[in-house]
Amino acid sequence: MTFETTVPVRYRDLDPMSHVNNAVYATYFEEVRTAFFREEVGIELADSRAALASLDIDFRAPIEGTGAVRAALEVIEVGTTSLTFGYRLHHDGRLVAEGETVQVALGEDGPEPLPDAVREAADRHATE
């Protein structure tokens, strides 16, 4: 099951050519991830103790001007201490980016098992 939300394209996201700056796509991934934790797990991402371990973005088309991005998140893999998320961003009806992140649950001494609430929400959205 895919989790979706809408992310506004702000004027500050644009470069001098009125394209969304490539670094902002990572922020859009973060915004859909934040909404997933808030709406599906029931906690703020900042309170999850999850650290971003890796980020991969494949750019498919530029986002030009403001408006909104439809952001979709799928859980690709649920590990003992980590989650792999897949993303798709659409703007004006076209795919503009795809990507993947790995989040790792961290405790005081390093990686720790995912909390039950995170695992349950992830299992509901897993692609397998």
Side-chain angles (χ1 to χ4, degrees):
M1 182 168 91
T2 301
F3 175 82
E4 292 188 16
T5 193
T6 301
V7 179
V9 177
R10 297 160 292 253
Y11 179 75
R12 70 175 180 89
D13 297 345
L14 304 177
D15 64 18
M17 296 181 349
S18 293
H19 297 113
V20 169
N21 181 279
N22 62 332
V24 175
Y25 288 67
T27 300
Y28 296 161
F29 287 3
E30 181 180 60
E31 290 198 30
V32 68
R33 197 166 56 247
T34 298
F36 175 82
F37 271 82
R38 181 180 302 121
E39 296 174 29
E40 297 296 321
V41 181
I43 62 173
E44 293 297 320
L45 180 60
D47 297 330
S48 71
R49 298 180 60 140
L52 183 66
S54 70
L55 166 67
D56 182 47
I57 303 173
D58 293 320
F59 300 97
R60 303 293 184 210
I63 299 173
E64 300 177 274
T66 57
V69 171
R70 184 170 51 86
L73 174 150
E74 291 183 341
V75 178
I76 296 173
E77 184 177 346
V78 181
T80 302
T81 63
S82 65
L83 293 172
T84 303
F85 292 125
Y87 304 85
R88 286 183 318 283
L89 302 179
H90 289 84
H91 183 260
D92 287 341
R94 65 188 170 135
L95 179 67
V96 295
E98 296 177 285
E100 191 173 292
T101 63
V102 176
Q103 305 290 129
V104 176
L106 291 179
E108 291 181 24
D109 297 323
E112 65 181 17
L114 295 170
D116 290 340
V118 173
R119 183 173 299 285
E120 290 166 10
D123 287 341
R124 285 194 308 272
H125 291 274
T127 56
E128 299 174 355

